Amino acid sequence: YAMSADELRSGLFSASAKAQFQLLETLTQGGETVWEVLMEFLLKQQSNPPSLINGKVYQILYTAIPTSEKVSHFLKLHFPTGIVPLKSDTGIDYIPLQTLLAQQDFLEADKLSVQKLCELAGSSAVQRKWLYFSEIERFPITDLQTIDSLWCIHSEGKFGYSVQRELWLGVNKNWDKLWPKIGWRTGRNWTRYPQGFTWDLTAPKGHLPLSNQLRGVRVIEALLSHPAWSQSQP
Ligand code: UYC
């Protein structure tokens, strides 16, 4: 059974978020008519803040770029830097991170995210290549929200610091309960970097981005406690 373009359009434009997602999951094959509807949908959503459904639609279209000149042109024209506004208080360019996440290259995106956090902390952290917990408190809300939003929107809501924070609060800030939940530890064994981790959307919720625990939990604790996750931006 192949869904008609009209069925897809009426579903996408009217259904609840959950039903919209299910609808997109059933799209086993693309094709110009399907992409046409998805482009129309994304364009109408352009002025709204990015949502998970827009992220999913964007990802389907992004995957169609090599096959469709039309889709390729559409995205270049209307969404040259993706669907997440790449706001920064520090002048950091988040386009490379956006590109890696659009390509679903989660390993490289994870490495780049650590580097961006070091850039937020300053030149000594960039040289050091890791963070002191005390540096994190001073991170601008805007930049953290941009990085988090990119992870979230490009992972169907699965990845991101805010996702990890919710899970952490859900286990009453008990790290020993969080680690197995997000696949960072199994029984007595820490998951090995990088090959032990799951670098695609089959990973458990909150699996990425990683924070190395070699120097203790204070860095991730500062990150997940940051005001970025409890304050909305004007
Ligand atoms: N690694 O085990 N990790 C590294 C994680 C630990 C270790 C990098 C995450 C436990 C060493 C990343 C987990 C541990 C290195 C992560 C994890 C350990 C290293 C690359 C599950 C031993 C070599 C970036 C909690 C028992 C580098 C970076 C070094 C690297 C992530 C060992 C992203 C989430 C406690 C020896 N691990 N890490 O930070 O510094 O180097 O020597 O967390």
Coordinates of all heavy atoms in Angstrom, one line a residue, residues 110 184 190-191 193 197 210-215, ligand 1:
D110 N 29.9 14.5 17.7 CA 30.3 14.4 19.1 C 31.6 15.0 19.4 O 31.8 15.8 20.3 CB 30.2 12.9 19.5 CG 30.4 12.8 21.0 OD1 29.5 13.1 21.8 OD2 31.5 12.3 21.4
W184 N 26.0 4.0 29.0 CA 27.4 4.4 29.2 C 28.1 3.4 30.1 O 29.3 3.4 30.3 CB 27.5 5.8 29.8 CG 27.2 6.9 28.9 CD1 26.7 6.8 27.6 CD2 27.4 8.3 29.1 NE1 26.6 8.0 27.0 CE2 27.0 9.0 27.9 CE3 27.9 9.1 30.1 CZ2 27.1 10.4 27.8 CZ3 28.0 10.4 30.0 CH2 27.6 11.1 28.8
W190 N 32.4 0.1 32.1 CA 32.2 1.3 31.4 C 32.2 1.0 29.9 O 33.0 0.1 29.5 CB 33.3 2.4 31.7 CG 33.4 2.9 33.0 CD1 34.2 2.5 34.0 CD2 32.5 3.9 33.6 NE1 33.9 3.3 35.2 CE2 32.9 4.1 34.9 CE3 31.5 4.7 33.1 CZ2 32.3 5.1 35.8 CZ3 30.8 5.6 33.9 CH2 31.3 5.8 35.2
T191 N 31.4 1.7 29.2 CA 31.4 1.5 27.7 C 32.7 2.1 27.1 O 33.1 3.2 27.5 CB 30.2 2.2 27.1 OG1 29.0 1.7 27.7 CG2 30.1 2.0 25.6
Y193 N 35.3 3.9 24.6 CA 35.3 4.9 23.6 C 36.3 4.5 22.5 O 37.4 4.2 22.9 CB 35.6 6.3 24.2 CG 35.6 7.4 23.1 CD1 34.4 8.0 22.8 CD2 36.8 7.8 22.5 CE1 34.4 9.0 21.8 CE2 36.8 8.8 21.5 CZ 35.6 9.4 21.2 OH 35.6 10.3 20.2
F197 N 30.3 2.6 21.9 CA 29.1 3.4 21.8 C 28.4 3.2 20.5 O 28.9 2.7 19.5 CB 29.5 4.9 22.0 CG 30.1 5.2 23.3 CD1 31.4 5.1 23.6 CD2 29.2 5.5 24.4 CE1 31.9 5.3 24.9 CE2 29.7 5.8 25.6 CZ 31.0 5.7 25.9
L210 N 28.6 12.6 24.2 CA 29.3 12.0 25.3 C 30.0 13.0 26.2 O 30.3 14.1 25.7 CB 30.4 11.1 24.8 CG 29.9 9.9 23.9 CD1 31.1 9.0 23.5 CD2 28.9 9.0 24.6
S211 N 30.2 12.7 27.5 CA 31.1 13.5 28.3 C 32.0 12.4 29.0 O 31.5 11.5 29.7 CB 30.3 14.2 29.4 OG 29.4 15.1 28.9
N212 N 33.3 12.5 28.7 CA 34.2 11.6 29.3 C 34.2 11.7 30.9 O 34.3 12.8 31.4 CB 35.6 11.9 28.8 CG 36.6 10.8 29.1 OD1 36.3 9.8 29.8 ND2 37.9 11.0 28.6
Q213 N 34.1 10.6 31.5 CA 34.0 10.6 33.0 C 35.4 10.3 33.7 O 35.4 10.0 34.9 CB 33.0 9.5 33.5 CG 31.6 9.9 33.0 CD 31.1 11.3 33.3 OE1 31.2 11.7 34.5 NE2 30.7 12.1 32.4
L214 N 36.4 10.3 32.9 CA 37.8 10.0 33.4 C 38.2 10.9 34.6 O 38.8 10.5 35.5 CB 38.8 10.1 32.3 CG 40.1 9.5 32.4 CD1 40.0 8.0 32.7 CD2 41.0 9.7 31.1
R215 N 37.7 12.2 34.5 CA 38.1 13.1 35.6 C 36.9 13.4 36.6 O 36.9 14.4 37.3 CB 38.6 14.4 35.0 CG 39.8 14.2 34.2 CD 40.2 15.5 33.4 NE 41.2 15.1 32.4 CZ 40.9 14.8 31.2 NH1 39.7 14.7 30.8 NH2 41.9 14.4 30.3
Ligands
UYC1 N1 34.4 7.2 27.9 O1 34.2 5.4 29.4 N2 38.4 7.6 28.1 C1 37.3 9.4 25.9 C2 33.5 8.2 27.6 C3 35.6 7.1 31.4 C4 39.2 7.0 29.0 C5 36.8 10.3 25.0 C6 32.2 8.0 28.2 C7 35.8 5.9 32.3 C8 40.6 7.1 28.5 C9 35.5 10.4 25.2 C10 32.4 6.8 28.9 C11 37.1 5.5 31.8 C12 40.5 7.9 27.3 C13 35.1 9.4 26.2 C14 33.7 6.4 28.8 C15 37.6 6.3 30.8 C16 39.1 8.2 27.1 C17 37.7 11.1 23.9 C18 31.4 6.2 29.8 C19 37.9 4.4 32.3 C20 41.7 8.3 26.5 C21 37.8 12.5 24.3 C22 31.2 6.9 31.1 C23 37.4 3.4 33.3 C24 41.9 9.8 26.6 C25 38.6 12.7 25.5 C26 42.6 10.3 27.8 C27 38.7 9.0 26.1 C28 33.8 9.2 26.6 C29 38.8 6.2 30.1 C30 34.5 11.2 24.4 C31 31.0 8.8 28.0 C32 35.7 6.3 33.7 C33 41.8 6.5 29.2 N3 36.3 8.8 26.6 N4 36.6 7.2 30.6 O2 38.0 13.2 26.5 O3 42.3 11.4 28.3 O4 39.8 12.3 25.5 O5 43.6 9.6 28.2 O6 34.6 7.7 31.4

